Amino acid sequence: PSIEKFSGVFDGNGHKISGVTITDELPESNFANWRAAFIVTNTGVIKNLTLENVSVNIAGDCGTTAGPGCGGLVGENKGTIQSCSVTGTVKGSGLEKVGGIAAYVTGASAVIKDSSFIGTVTAKFLPGGITGVGRQGGSILRCFAIADLVATSTVKIGGSTQKGNEA
């Protein structure tokens, strides 16, 4: 069960949500903007929340197509994630970008701050403890990750010189 779009204020008030499990499969086509997470797209504020023992497991392979990703808390963060922690496993072995907290942090007003991830992140090209990628001015402030990061690719992604754990 995922929340597709969130735009309000989610104040966890220090509470924990345990055992969130997300199992899905990458669609066969039109997947460049596909995301998977507890909250797929955040444009609001998520704060003071702990997700404990998260298990995100996404099957499928994007080939060399840039785009698809998954995160432990958010797929694409365009808002604020503050004082949140995530523990567990986030696995998208065939996805381009995978993050312990968010796959993407997108836009000048997008930020993850004072947050942490502890666990394992697996991606085809870009695994990250906090995020798979920050773009268009997205920020990461005062965060930490204690993570095993695994990149599974044995090929280069479209035009890049990097592959697998060379990233």
Side-chain angles (χ1 to χ4, degrees), residues 10-20 38 46-54 73 82-87 116:
F10 184 159
D11 187 347
N13 201 25
H15 292 284
K16 291 181 185 178
I17 299 174
S18 297
V20 172
F38 179 63
I46 302 167
K47 62 183 182 178
N48 305 316
L49 179 66
T50 297
L51 292 185
E52 186 176 66
N53 297 322
V54 167
L73 176 58
Q82 180 176 353
S83 301
C84 292
S85 64
V86 178
T87 66
S116 64

Short mmCIF file of all heavy atoms in Angstrom, two decimals, residues 10-20 38 46-54 73 82-87 116:
data_model
loop_
_atom_site.label_atom_id
_atom_site.label_comp_id
_atom_site.label_asym_id
_atom_site.label_seq_id
_atom_site.Cartn_x
_atom_site.Cartn_y
_atom_site.Cartn_z
N PHE A 10 2.64 15.99 7.17
CA PHE A 10 2.58 14.70 7.85
C PHE A 10 3.56 14.79 9.00
O PHE A 10 4.76 14.64 8.82
CB PHE A 10 2.96 13.59 6.89
CG PHE A 10 2.86 12.19 7.43
CD1 PHE A 10 2.76 11.13 6.56
CD2 PHE A 10 2.86 11.90 8.79
CE1 PHE A 10 2.66 9.82 7.01
CE2 PHE A 10 2.77 10.62 9.26
CZ PHE A 10 2.67 9.56 8.37
N ASP A 11 3.07 15.10 10.21
CA ASP A 11 3.90 15.17 11.39
C ASP A 11 3.74 13.86 12.15
O ASP A 11 2.72 13.62 12.78
CB ASP A 11 3.51 16.36 12.27
CG ASP A 11 4.46 16.58 13.44
OD1 ASP A 11 5.29 15.68 13.74
OD2 ASP A 11 4.39 17.65 14.05
N GLY A 12 4.78 13.03 12.07
CA GLY A 12 4.75 11.74 12.76
C GLY A 12 4.83 11.88 14.27
O GLY A 12 4.62 10.92 14.99
N ASN A 13 5.16 13.09 14.75
CA ASN A 13 5.21 13.38 16.18
C ASN A 13 6.07 12.36 16.94
O ASN A 13 5.76 11.99 18.06
CB ASN A 13 3.80 13.44 16.75
CG ASN A 13 3.74 14.20 18.06
OD1 ASN A 13 4.57 15.04 18.32
ND2 ASN A 13 2.75 13.88 18.88
N GLY A 14 7.15 11.88 16.28
CA GLY A 14 8.07 10.96 16.92
C GLY A 14 7.63 9.50 16.89
O GLY A 14 8.31 8.64 17.45
N HIS A 15 6.53 9.20 16.25
CA HIS A 15 6.03 7.82 16.20
C HIS A 15 6.79 6.99 15.18
O HIS A 15 7.41 7.52 14.26
CB HIS A 15 4.53 7.80 15.87
CG HIS A 15 3.69 8.35 16.96
ND1 HIS A 15 3.40 7.65 18.11
CD2 HIS A 15 3.08 9.55 17.09
CE1 HIS A 15 2.65 8.39 18.90
NE2 HIS A 15 2.43 9.56 18.31
N LYS A 16 6.70 5.65 15.35
CA LYS A 16 7.33 4.70 14.45
C LYS A 16 6.25 3.92 13.71
O LYS A 16 5.23 3.55 14.30
CB LYS A 16 8.16 3.67 15.21
CG LYS A 16 9.40 4.21 15.83
CD LYS A 16 10.16 3.09 16.54
CE LYS A 16 11.34 3.66 17.28
NZ LYS A 16 12.07 2.62 18.01
N ILE A 17 6.52 3.68 12.44
CA ILE A 17 5.72 2.75 11.65
C ILE A 17 6.67 1.60 11.33
O ILE A 17 7.73 1.80 10.75
CB ILE A 17 5.18 3.39 10.37
CG1 ILE A 17 4.27 4.58 10.70
CG2 ILE A 17 4.43 2.34 9.53
CD1 ILE A 17 3.81 5.36 9.48
N SER A 18 6.31 0.39 11.74
CA SER A 18 7.19 -0.76 11.58
C SER A 18 6.67 -1.74 10.53
O SER A 18 5.46 -1.91 10.39
CB SER A 18 7.35 -1.51 12.90
OG SER A 18 7.96 -0.71 13.86
N GLY A 19 7.61 -2.35 9.83
CA GLY A 19 7.29 -3.45 8.94
C GLY A 19 6.62 -3.07 7.64
O GLY A 19 5.91 -3.90 7.04
N VAL A 20 6.82 -1.85 7.15
CA VAL A 20 6.25 -1.47 5.85
C VAL A 20 6.90 -2.33 4.78
O VAL A 20 8.12 -2.41 4.68
CB VAL A 20 6.50 0.03 5.55
CG1 VAL A 20 6.08 0.36 4.12
CG2 VAL A 20 5.77 0.90 6.54
N PHE A 38 6.79 4.26 0.01
CA PHE A 38 5.67 4.43 0.94
C PHE A 38 4.81 5.61 0.47
O PHE A 38 3.59 5.52 0.41
CB PHE A 38 6.24 4.67 2.34
CG PHE A 38 5.21 4.88 3.41
CD1 PHE A 38 4.31 3.88 3.74
CD2 PHE A 38 5.16 6.07 4.11
CE1 PHE A 38 3.37 4.08 4.74
CE2 PHE A 38 4.23 6.28 5.11
CZ PHE A 38 3.33 5.27 5.43
N ILE A 46 7.01 16.19 5.35
CA ILE A 46 6.97 14.96 6.15
C ILE A 46 8.03 15.14 7.22
O ILE A 46 9.20 15.40 6.91
CB ILE A 46 7.30 13.73 5.29
CG1 ILE A 46 6.32 13.61 4.12
CG2 ILE A 46 7.26 12.46 6.15
CD1 ILE A 46 6.74 12.62 3.05
N LYS A 47 7.63 15.04 8.51
CA LYS A 47 8.59 15.30 9.58
C LYS A 47 8.33 14.43 10.80
O LYS A 47 7.23 13.91 11.00
CB LYS A 47 8.56 16.78 9.97
CG LYS A 47 7.23 17.26 10.52
CD LYS A 47 7.28 18.77 10.81
CE LYS A 47 5.97 19.25 11.39
NZ LYS A 47 6.02 20.69 11.73
N ASN A 48 9.40 14.26 11.58
CA ASN A 48 9.33 13.57 12.87
C ASN A 48 8.74 12.17 12.77
O ASN A 48 7.91 11.77 13.58
CB ASN A 48 8.50 14.42 13.87
CG ASN A 48 9.03 15.81 14.01
OD1 ASN A 48 10.23 16.02 14.10
ND2 ASN A 48 8.14 16.80 13.99
N LEU A 49 9.19 11.42 11.78
CA LEU A 49 8.65 10.09 11.51
C LEU A 49 9.78 9.08 11.40
O LEU A 49 10.82 9.36 10.80
CB LEU A 49 7.84 10.11 10.21
CG LEU A 49 7.23 8.78 9.76
CD1 LEU A 49 6.15 8.32 10.75
CD2 LEU A 49 6.66 8.91 8.36
N THR A 50 9.57 7.89 11.94
CA THR A 50 10.49 6.77 11.78
C THR A 50 9.77 5.63 11.07
O THR A 50 8.68 5.24 11.48
CB THR A 50 11.01 6.27 13.13
OG1 THR A 50 11.76 7.32 13.76
CG2 THR A 50 11.89 5.05 12.99
N LEU A 51 10.39 5.15 10.00
CA LEU A 51 9.96 3.90 9.34
C LEU A 51 11.00 2.86 9.71
O LEU A 51 12.18 3.00 9.38
CB LEU A 51 9.87 4.05 7.83
CG LEU A 51 8.81 4.96 7.27
CD1 LEU A 51 8.81 4.89 5.74
CD2 LEU A 51 7.43 4.61 7.79
N GLU A 52 10.56 1.83 10.41
CA GLU A 52 11.47 0.82 10.94
C GLU A 52 11.26 -0.51 10.22
O GLU A 52 10.12 -0.91 9.98
CB GLU A 52 11.15 0.68 12.43
CG GLU A 52 12.05 -0.20 13.22
CD GLU A 52 11.68 -0.15 14.69
OE1 GLU A 52 10.57 -0.60 15.04
OE2 GLU A 52 12.49 0.35 15.48
N ASN A 53 12.36 -1.17 9.88
CA ASN A 53 12.32 -2.47 9.20
C ASN A 53 11.52 -2.42 7.90
O ASN A 53 10.69 -3.30 7.63
CB ASN A 53 11.77 -3.56 10.13
CG ASN A 53 12.67 -3.77 11.33
OD1 ASN A 53 13.89 -3.72 11.21
ND2 ASN A 53 12.07 -3.97 12.48
N VAL A 54 11.78 -1.39 7.11
CA VAL A 54 11.15 -1.25 5.79
C VAL A 54 11.71 -2.31 4.85
O VAL A 54 12.90 -2.63 4.89
CB VAL A 54 11.45 0.15 5.21
CG1 VAL A 54 11.10 0.25 3.75
CG2 VAL A 54 10.71 1.20 6.00
N LEU A 73 11.15 5.84 1.94
CA LEU A 73 10.06 6.70 2.39
C LEU A 73 9.33 7.33 1.21
O LEU A 73 8.11 7.29 1.13
CB LEU A 73 10.60 7.79 3.33
CG LEU A 73 9.62 8.84 3.84
CD1 LEU A 73 8.45 8.21 4.59
CD2 LEU A 73 10.34 9.85 4.73
N GLN A 82 11.96 16.10 6.95
CA GLN A 82 12.74 16.64 8.05
C GLN A 82 12.62 15.75 9.28
O GLN A 82 11.53 15.33 9.66
CB GLN A 82 12.24 18.04 8.40
CG GLN A 82 12.99 18.70 9.53
CD GLN A 82 12.53 20.12 9.79
OE1 GLN A 82 11.74 20.69 9.05
NE2 GLN A 82 13.05 20.70 10.85
N SER A 83 13.77 15.47 9.90
CA SER A 83 13.84 14.71 11.15
C SER A 83 13.13 13.36 11.02
O SER A 83 12.35 12.97 11.88
CB SER A 83 13.25 15.53 12.31
OG SER A 83 13.97 16.73 12.46
N CYS A 84 13.43 12.68 9.93
CA CYS A 84 12.87 11.34 9.69
C CYS A 84 14.01 10.32 9.68
O CYS A 84 15.14 10.65 9.36
CB CYS A 84 12.14 11.29 8.35
SG CYS A 84 10.63 12.28 8.32
N SER A 85 13.68 9.09 10.04
CA SER A 85 14.67 8.02 9.93
C SER A 85 14.01 6.80 9.32
O SER A 85 12.82 6.54 9.54
CB SER A 85 15.30 7.70 11.29
OG SER A 85 14.32 7.19 12.17
N VAL A 86 14.81 6.09 8.55
CA VAL A 86 14.36 4.87 7.89
C VAL A 86 15.40 3.80 8.14
O VAL A 86 16.61 4.05 8.02
CB VAL A 86 14.19 5.09 6.36
CG1 VAL A 86 13.75 3.80 5.67
CG2 VAL A 86 13.18 6.21 6.07
N THR A 87 14.94 2.60 8.51
CA THR A 87 15.83 1.44 8.60
C THR A 87 15.25 0.32 7.75
O THR A 87 14.03 0.22 7.61
CB THR A 87 16.01 0.94 10.05
OG1 THR A 87 14.77 0.42 10.53
CG2 THR A 87 16.50 2.04 10.97
N SER A 116 18.02 10.28 8.59
CA SER A 116 19.00 9.20 8.51
C SER A 116 18.41 7.95 7.87
O SER A 116 17.20 7.74 7.87
CB SER A 116 19.53 8.86 9.90
OG SER A 116 18.48 8.35 10.71
#
